[in-house]
Amino acid sequence: MRIVEGKVIVCSPGRNFVTLKLVTEDGLHGIGDATLNGRELAVASYLSDHVIPLLIGRDARRIEDTWQYLYKGAYWRRGPVTMAAIGAVDSALWDICGKARNAPLYQLLGGASRDSVLVYGHANGESEDDTVKAAAKYVDMGYRAIRAQSAVAGVTHAYGVGRGTLYYEPAEKGRPLECGWSTEPYLDFVPKLFERLRKEFGFGVHLLHDVHHRLTPIEAARLGKSLEPYRLFWLEDPTPAENQAAFRTIRHHTVTPIAVGEVFNTIYDCQLLIEEELIDYIRTTVVHAGGISHLRKIAALAELHHVRTGAHGATDLSPVAMAGALHFDLSVHNFGIQEYMRHTDETDRVFPHAYAFADGAMHPGEAPGLGVDIDEELAAKYPYDPAYLPVNRKTDGTVHSW
Ligand code: KDG
Ligand code: MG
């Protein structure tokens, strides 16, 4: 089953997506998401200029061998561009293999470990009241887990509060938006927000919060401790994780569960975090961490250490990544939760898919392979539209993590 053609499709149905399509001599095709928000064309070029020429003539069934060939063969290992490209190839090959066997991908990954996949949605607002209203909307839609973010007085652009309540998209056209940050008002505000949310919704709904890498370890430890009465499902990205050992401080001080990993590319980025049991959920994705093959290795290591999966699923991960995530989530034993930030209707039309949401959970569907495709004719109507994620500065102008 030789690969005879490969192409990269860059489109912008509401936001930018990079999709790899591989075609075999039997006429089967598979797709993979290669979107790296704000740096899209780097991955598109890596694939078109350096990877696709190497794939032509290779056997599409040799998924692990191709992964190792691209990873070890490049000499230059890891990094978001390389790993997003390898991830896209890996997903496309799994898609082809599922189609060749006429089976949904999860059946090739060991079958379903559960009936469906618990997901969480995003409630965000310009104030505590707005966030409560947004959370109520998610409860009405059937969600059983909700991430809550709110604007904070004294902080110019708190993370997670953007245009619209259902389709938050932080990437902006033109030069990056500059946000302002102040830790003290944030640390005072967040426990009040969750006290209010528990008052309104009780303890029957899971609540999550994303710090988005903005605190030092000791500040994060303080926040985790102050949130303990509200029993969060998780506190995400409490501190930047380039220094994995920094999470020891947080763990030492709080029992609030910790999630991290949406920006990680390989198992090495979370090795210490997992082996020392410093986190509870690992958020690596099929798109940014080397595809389904590599994600399964991360999950296997995590399983040894009571760490569960909680894959990133923001709107900059295309429906192709969402489908891959759902097959993975359904199959691995130590699944925890899946982020599901809804795509816009125009995005959904460009990427017709078999996955569906019901009662706060999702299922990848029974279509062969990933169960998602790209309508290339429609995609061509939405040309690439450069956009950047914001940058963040403290009130004195110092650049801070966004
Ligand atoms: O591209 C960056 C977004 O995907 C990220 O800001 C979203 O943190 C995020 C999340 O948890 O969904
Ligand atoms: Mg996040």
Side-chain angles (χ1 to χ4, degrees):
M1 210 203 296
R2 304 273 153 204
I3 299 166
V4 292
E5 193 194 335
K7 64 168 137 170
V8 177
I9 303 147
V10 183
C11 63
S12 193
R15 66 157 335 285
N16 292 314
F17 295 112
V18 178
T19 309
L20 171 71
K21 180 170 182 176
L22 297 177
V23 184
T24 70
E25 58 191 343
D26 322 76
L28 292 176
H29 74 269
I31 57 177
D33 182 19
T35 310
L36 188 60
N37 201 2
R39 297 292 186 272
E40 295 87 358
L41 299 186
V43 190
S45 156
Y46 192 104
L47 283 167
S48 304
D49 298 328
H50 304 292
V51 172
I52 291 173
L54 305 180
L55 296 177
I56 304 303
R58 289 184 67 86
D59 186 339
R61 292 167 297 193
R62 296 186 62 174
I63 301 177
E64 179 65 18
D65 182 65
T66 300
W67 196 98
Q68 300 293 347
Y69 179 82
L70 294 176
Y71 183 80
K72 295 192 167 72
Y75 186 65
W76 310 106
R77 298 181 183 204
R78 306 166 63 185
V81 176
T82 300
M83 298 311 290
I86 294 177
V89 174
D90 186 79
S91 296
L93 296 183
W94 278 108
D95 191 19
I96 289 170
C97 284
K99 287 174 177 165
R101 288 165 179 78
N102 198 26
L105 179 55
Y106 75 85
Q107 294 292 14
L108 273 60
L109 303 178
S113 285
R114 54 197 54 78
D115 299 333
S116 62
V117 165
L118 178 71
V119 297
Y120 71 91
H122 284 206
N124 58 69
E126 291 293 341
S127 65
E128 200 181 288
D129 284 344
D130 273 4
T131 304
V132 168
K133 274 186 212 143
K137 213 187 251 173
Y138 277 93
V139 170
D140 288 347
M141 284 191 281
Y143 279 80
R144 290 177 266 146
I146 299 166
R147 186 190 91 159
Q149 310 288 140
S150 171
V152 179
V155 176
T156 335
H157 295 98
Y159 165 74
V161 187
R163 301 177 247 122
T165 46
L166 275 182
Y167 306 117
Y168 170 61
E169 168 48 58
E172 300 282 344
K173 298 182 198 349
R175 294 180 80 86
L177 172 76
E178 301 233 341
C179 301
W181 178 252
S182 182
T183 297
E184 293 73 18
Y186 171 77
L187 285 179
D188 285 341
F189 174 79
V190 178
K192 289 182 195 134
L193 173 67
F194 281 88
E195 183 184 11
R196 171 84 188 276
L197 288 164
R198 282 301 181 211
K199 256 191 207 131
E200 301 281 344
F201 301 104
F203 283 85
V205 59
H206 294 302
L207 294 178
L208 302 81
H209 182 69
D210 190 350
V211 178
H212 225 249
H213 327 272
R214 285 162 187 218
L215 300 176
T216 64
I218 199 69
E219 289 163 353
R222 190 179 126 200
L223 180 63
K225 214 168 172 173
S226 63
L227 287 170
E228 281 173 12
Y230 315 114
R231 303 205 297 264
L232 265 58
F233 186 92
W234 79 32
L235 186 65
E236 178 186 336
D237 289 343
T239 201
E242 287 96 327
N243 177 359
Q244 297 180 45
F247 280 65
R248 289 177 186 144
T249 302
I250 305 172
R251 203 53 152 182
H252 184 75
H253 288 285
T254 180
V255 294
T256 293
I258 303 297
V260 72
E262 67 184 41
V263 301
F264 293 175
N265 324 125
T266 68
I267 198 163
Y268 304 105
D269 297 327
C270 47
Q271 186 178 358
L272 186 134
L273 287 168
I274 292 175
E275 287 178 349
E276 287 198 16
E277 300 176 8
L278 301 177
I279 57 170
D280 301 279
Y281 296 93
I282 181 69
R283 283 183 46 71
T284 42
T285 64
V286 292
V287 51
H288 300 127
I292 287 151
S293 299
H294 197 63
L295 216 53
R296 291 177 83 206
K297 293 179 188 181
I298 295 175
L301 175 67
E303 189 181 346
L304 297 182
H305 294 281
H306 315 283
V307 175
R308 288 184 283 164
T309 68
H312 185 204
T315 42
D316 51 294
L317 286 81
S318 87
V320 185
M322 192 68 213
L326 292 171
H327 287 282
F328 166 81
D329 297 338
L330 200 68
S331 64
V332 290
H333 174 69
N334 54 325
F335 164 77
I337 200 165
Q338 171 66 49
E339 182 177 15
Y340 175 48
M341 205 172 155
R342 288 157 182 268
H343 289 107
T344 60
D345 292 342
E346 53 185 350
T347 296
D348 282 340
R349 278 194 290 273
V350 169
F351 297 96
H353 50 258
Y355 63 75
F357 170 91
D359 300 327
M362 291 179 79
H363 193 282
E366 300 298 337
L370 285 172
V372 60
D373 213 337
I374 179 163
D375 179 335
E376 289 185 64
E377 228 170 88
L378 190 57
K381 295 191 176 139
Y382 299 100
Y384 175 65
D385 196 4
Y388 287 102
L389 286 168
V391 294
N392 205 15
R393 288 185 190 275
K394 293 186 193 171
T395 39
D396 71 354
T398 310
V399 172
H400 192 54
S401 304
W402 177 71

